[in-house]
Amino acid sequence: MSSQASIAIAQSVQLRAAVLLPLPLPQAYDYALPEGVVAKRGLLVRAPLGGRELIGVVWGKPEGGVASDKMRLAVPIDGLRLPPMLCDFIDWVARYTLSPPGAVLAQALRVRGVFDPEVPRKALIAGTIVPERMNPARERVRALMTDGLARVPSEIAELAGVSPGVVKGLADAGALKWVSLPEFEPCREPDGAFDAVKLSPDQLRAAEHLRDAVKKREFSVALLDGVTGSGKTEAYFEAVAEALSEGKQALILLPEIALTVQFLDRFEARFGCRPVEWHSDLSLRERKRAYRAVMRGEARVVVGARSALFLPFPKLGLIVVDEEHEHAYKQEEGVIYHARDMAVVRARLENCPIVLASATPSLETYVNAKIGRYEWLKLAHRHGAAEMPEVRLVDMRIDHGEPGQFLSPALRTALDNTLRAREQALLFLNRRGYAPLTLCTVCGRKETCRNCSAWMVEHRYKKRLVCHHCAYEIAIPERCPQCGAEHSYIACGPGVERVEEEFRAAFPDARVAVASSDTLFGPAQTQGAIRAFAVGEIDVIIGTQIVAKGHHFPRLTLAGIIDADLGGGAGDPRSAERSFQLLHQVAGRSGRGDRPGLVLIQTRNPEDPVMQALASQARDDFLEEEMRIRERSFIPPYGRLASLILAGEDALAVRETGRELALAAPKAQGLSVWGPAPAFYQVLRGRTRERLLVQAEKTIDIQGYIRAWLAEVKIPSSVHLTIDIDPISFF
Ligand SMILES: [Zn+2]
Ligand SMILES: [Zn+2]
């Protein structure tokens, strides 16, 4: 058969393809494609489902089994296509997290209307016709428009100081001409040679290495391990510059909380313009613009939160995961994944290098660097004149103040010295609100949330008790509902608001602000406080972990940690690591400029290995000890974990399903199933929660095991099952 004839036959047969829809369905479904369409993987289509029309993606060959007369037609969207590598990535994430592929696809198609045709913006430019009647107003418009720029009518009216009628008149007369502009302004292109800063020898060595990795255009992982203030960002910016000169795109992931103005400013100083941003605070319009620019390859550098991992980069040449140890990289709802781990997977599929940066690497990453699987680039010194701060423990069993006070005499003295020297201090407490527990002094009743098994937290500014899990709130009761005593409630323990109160009483002249992630204040206000602190309008900032991350305050010389013993989660194998990372980050804010820094850590457990490691600044000793503990007990990275969490409003059904699941668990060598046990918060948002934990040796296919296990059990519709592979939260 001639090739001409075979084409003719191919075109006469209606083409079919499996189309994946962004829904939690178990598989892709077959659709017909219009004649002549080539069913390439990744092709975006509009596909009918029930009475709706959805955006879908051609995923592969037809599955078969749908009768021709039932087959519905999927229509391509302007030939747009997701990069096939992104499709492979979605399949990989789905398999690994045991999620339906469509649910993972939904992560990549989250922007409503992003594939709708662009709506051009109408604007006016100077026309060729000169109207017969001119007057001063018309003359002003003509003069304005001689620069040749396109403007919308309202802008012309405003700039020329004329009424809208004048502009309309000139347009009708042909003196101004309508033109169409693209819906979105093109992205500005970062310039790799804009302002290369002078790097220290350490930074230079790391930067050279990273540049080489980008040039090689193949998969590699580097741990950029630098002490706080060592200039990791400047070092990996060189890798970004290299990706730009190679004509590639670069993705920088930041934990959501650290997507700060400060970072964007540093980027702009290095590259001459801001990068494309991707995070939850963008408007729909901004998201559309960013998504399209990424897809067209015009967005050369994207700085984003974890969801940026699912953007359709056609030519990704570098991924950076900054603060790689951050738990904010774990998505805990819907598709549960760890963005750092999945970023390594995407880099491998794209065959490009990835850089993991941290001053306190996660144990997983540390071990990979140690055994040589990852390249280990160390920045051992602070940048410029800055030295590492001095760290002292304050034993709160001995060196405490009056009852009900949370600032020890040692910390008060240090604060006094700092304020006298006109330097700045940071007080850190990882607890929002005024007090974590509110108690009736007469009968001992504790106020708990009606939806969750959690205490209500007093917020004094608001005069309310608030649940930090479901946001349920009530007024502080005037009369105890249990014993009837009036005004019998007292606040137990400190929150940031209470520390502020104590601080103001002790230092009435100091300028102080509270920064917490609290929704009561909103992110804008928190950013405002951080900015005011950075420029020296505030002397002391009191904050939760939001102030611990990545900020650079050159005049900050004292960091006081109010309660270092917070943070150990019950049954959480990573609590020591987490505690160490957080406190180390806080300590790292101190003394980053040219003045020496001091860190005071208030604790009731000064002998604790975490406290000892912080005081002696012996990070690696701490990590080595953690490694030994985990190796002994087969905890990651020396073993594998997975959580199965059952939740539902029907407590009985949840417990019953938990028992059935446990009984149905197949016996396997090197693998144990623990539970069911009530989750740490047994009731959350009104739903009862039970959890099973699967612990396995490293070589075991834990996903395969769970898949086989769940195939044997029917989960009732009233019970919701969540699978968390590699859990890091044990709530
Ligand atoms: Zn009472
Ligand atoms: Zn609650």
Side-chain angles (χ1 to χ4, degrees):
M1 199 191 300
S2 76
S3 64
Q4 287 286 330
S6 68
I7 288 169
I9 289 168
Q11 283 182 346
S12 70
V13 175
Q14 195 165 38
L15 204 62
R16 296 174 179 195
V19 170
L20 189 63
L21 300 172
L23 297 172
L25 300 169
Q27 62 181 92
Y29 291 99
D30 287 358
Y31 280 86
L33 294 171
E35 231 171 85
V37 169
V38 182
K40 282 193 179 140
R41 181 162 160 92
L43 189 72
L44 286 152
V45 293
R46 292 187 199 280
L49 182 81
R52 292 191 288 168
E53 186 185 74
L54 295 166
I55 305 281
V57 180
V58 170
W59 214 245
K61 293 200 169 67
E63 309 267 337
V66 182
S68 286
D69 57 333
K70 295 266 169 59
M71 185 75 64
R72 303 184 71 180
L73 187 70
V75 181
I77 306 170
D78 304 332
L80 291 172
R81 197 176 162 204
L82 290 185
M85 214 75 83
L86 176 58
C87 301
D88 294 351
F89 179 61
I90 288 167
D91 274 338
W92 203 99
V93 174
R95 273 197 306 275
Y96 190 83
T97 60
L98 292 171
S99 307
V104 183
L105 175 65
Q107 309 284 317
L109 294 180
R110 271 227 180 117
V111 189
R112 189 161 31 87
V114 72
F115 305 118
D116 292 348
E118 289 200 30
V119 185
R121 293 173 297 154
K122 291 286 209 182
L124 289 164
I125 56 170
T128 43
I129 297 162
V130 181
E132 284 165 20
R133 280 188 311 106
M134 285 301 278
N135 56 35
R138 288 187 156 196
E139 193 53 52
R140 284 204 297 281
V141 173
R142 196 197 60 78
L144 172 74
M145 299 304 282
T146 50
D147 62 8
L149 293 182
R151 296 182 173 91
V152 295
S154 59
E155 192 184 357
I156 297 171
E158 194 188 320
L159 290 174
V162 301
S163 71
V166 174
V167 180
K168 186 174 183 300
L170 285 168
D172 291 346
L176 294 173
K177 199 169 75 185
W178 286 105
V179 290
S180 298
L181 300 178
E183 182 176 3
F184 301 111
E185 313 250 345
C187 293
R188 285 184 59 194
E189 188 150 327
D191 175 4
F194 182 75
D195 188 12
V197 288
K198 198 163 155 27
L199 301 178
S200 70
D202 261 7
Q203 285 175 310
L204 209 56
R205 230 181 346 263
E208 280 305 313
H209 194 101
L210 296 176
R211 275 188 177 267
D212 285 347
V214 173
K215 269 191 220 147
K216 275 191 195 146
R217 299 183 172 214
E218 60 185 35
F219 173 63
S220 63
V221 191
L223 164 60
L224 183 57
D225 176 6
V227 298
T228 52
S230 59
K232 294 181 284 295
T233 311
E234 285 70 24
Y236 72 63
F237 274 175
E238 295 312 300
V240 173
E242 190 62 45
L244 288 170
S245 76
E246 295 277 312
K248 295 280 194 173
Q249 292 173 293
L251 166 63
I252 303 172
L253 291 178
L254 299 179
E256 181 101 27
I257 219 159
L259 264 183
T260 59
V261 176
Q262 270 192 347
F263 181 90
L264 301 173
D265 288 348
R266 280 162 88 181
F267 187 94
E268 188 167 5
R270 172 66 184 80
F271 293 102
C273 70
R274 294 237 166 160
V276 171
E277 292 175 56
W278 186 264
H279 50 82
S280 56
D281 287 346
L282 298 183
S283 67
L284 179 61
R285 192 184 140 74
E286 289 168 320
R287 281 168 168 269
K288 274 167 86 167
R289 174 175 183 250
Y291 192 98
R292 282 170 176 259
V294 169
M295 198 166 180
R296 284 198 289 253
E298 289 165 12
R300 300 294 303 282
V301 183
V302 176
V303 174
R306 56 178 185 242
S307 58
L309 205 49
F310 291 95
L311 285 172
F313 295 96
K315 44 180 186 181
L316 196 55
L318 172 70
I319 304 179
V320 177
V321 183
D322 203 350
E323 309 285 0
E324 67 87 28
H325 62 278
E326 272 291 337
H327 294 274
Y329 282 125
K330 181 81 190 235
Q331 171 144 312
E332 299 277 14
E333 270 165 26
V335 177
I336 298 182
Y337 66 92
H338 199 300
R340 182 235 307 146
D341 298 346
M342 294 306 112
V344 173
V345 173
R346 179 135 195 207
R348 203 180 61 216
L349 293 172
E350 302 274 355
N351 202 24
C352 76
I354 176 167
V355 182
L356 309 176
S358 178
T360 52
S362 64
L363 202 70
E364 279 83 350
T365 300
Y366 179 82
V367 169
N368 277 323
K370 220 178 125 88
I371 61 176
R373 188 176 293 154
Y374 294 175
E375 201 72 46
W376 197 349
L377 307 171
K378 295 182 195 182
L379 304 177
H381 306 286
R382 282 195 156 179
H383 189 63
E387 294 292 329
M388 295 305 287
E390 182 195 343
V391 181
R392 276 188 233 150
L393 299 179
V394 179
D395 186 343
M396 293 299 276
R397 295 169 305 187
I398 303 161
D399 188 16
H400 55 77
E402 303 290 313
Q405 285 189 350
F406 302 97
L407 303 174
S408 64
L411 183 51
R412 284 169 184 250
T413 306
L415 280 166
D416 198 39
N417 292 340
T418 304
L419 291 168
R420 276 175 207 279
R422 305 202 165 279
E423 292 168 1
Q424 291 178 304
L426 158 72
L427 294 178
F428 172 79
L429 177 65
N430 209 11
R431 245 186 205 156
R432 300 181 280 140
Y434 184 82
L437 169 64
T438 304
L439 191 77
C440 170
T441 47
V442 177
C443 70
R445 178 188 162 92
K446 295 168 190 164
E447 278 310 319
T448 51
C449 174
R450 99 186 149 172
N451 308 318
C452 311
S453 43
W455 291 333
M456 300 289 279
V457 176
E458 180 178 350
H459 285 254
R460 197 155 280 197
Y461 295 144
K462 256 185 126 173
K463 300 190 177 64
R464 311 278 285 175
L465 298 178
V466 182
C467 171
H468 282 177
H469 298 282
C470 70
Y472 171 68
E473 52 172 84
I474 54 170
I476 298 171
E478 298 212 344
R479 180 188 283 273
C480 173
Q482 189 164 292
C483 71
E486 278 182 44
H487 304 292
S488 63
Y489 277 87
I490 56 157
C492 299
V496 281
E497 292 177 17
R498 193 168 194 181
V499 172
E500 183 198 9
E501 185 181 271
E502 185 180 336
F503 176 85
R504 279 189 194 276
F507 301 96
D509 299 329
R511 298 167 301 171
V512 59
V514 170
S516 79
S517 61
D518 219 305
T519 46
L520 295 175
F521 301 100
Q525 196 175 337
T526 298
Q527 281 294 329
I530 289 170
R531 214 168 303 143
F533 188 64
V535 299
E537 288 166 9
I538 290 169
D539 303 314
V540 175
I541 195 158
I542 302 172
T544 59
Q545 54 180 332
I546 200 157
V547 296
K549 312 291 170 63
H551 300 291
H552 183 66
F553 306 120
R555 292 185 64 83
L556 190 149
T557 55
L558 172 65
I561 293 165
I562 303 296
D563 185 351
D565 307 326
L566 276 179
D572 180 350
R574 286 190 182 80
S575 65
E577 180 189 353
R578 197 183 306 227
S579 233
F580 179 83
Q581 284 162 346
L582 183 56
L583 299 179
H584 185 95
Q585 286 288 334
V586 177
R589 295 314 103 202
S590 181
R592 293 166 74 101
D594 47 8
R595 299 164 204 226
L598 173 65
V599 181
L600 290 183
I601 300 178
Q602 302 192 151
T603 172
R604 301 181 66 81
N605 299 296
E607 306 82 16
D608 185 277
V610 172
M611 301 308 148
Q612 288 298 321
L614 287 165
S616 56
Q617 312 209 12
R619 186 199 78 182
D620 288 6
D621 291 352
F622 171 75
L623 288 172
E624 295 289 329
E625 179 57 25
E626 275 291 301
M627 267 171 60
R628 279 189 288 275
I629 294 172
R630 293 206 200 164
E631 200 165 7
R632 273 200 302 273
S633 40
F634 300 106
I635 290 170
Y638 299 100
R640 303 202 57 199
L641 292 176
S643 282
L644 274 65
I645 300 138
L646 298 162
E649 278 162 23
D650 181 349
L652 210 64
V654 170
R655 282 193 212 109
E656 191 52 41
T657 309
R659 265 195 298 274
E660 274 172 31
L661 256 180
L663 285 173
K667 296 268 175 293
Q669 190 78 36
L671 179 146
S672 327
V673 176
W674 309 103
F680 184 77
Y681 291 104
Q682 195 173 354
V683 183
L684 207 54
R685 296 177 200 108
R687 301 166 91 195
T688 297
R689 299 160 78 241
E690 295 255 332
R691 61 185 305 138
L692 293 112
L693 189 67
V694 185
Q695 185 176 22
E697 283 172 19
K698 240 194 132 169
T699 49
I700 287 180
D701 172 13
I702 204 167
Q703 285 93 345
Y705 175 86
I706 295 173
R707 220 176 276 124
W709 174 17
L710 293 179
E712 299 302 312
V713 186
K714 175 104 180 71
I715 310 276
S717 60
S718 66
V719 178
H720 184 77
L721 169 67
T722 309
I723 302 168
D724 185 353
I725 303 288
D726 310 330
I728 59 163
S729 155
F730 292 81
F731 291 154

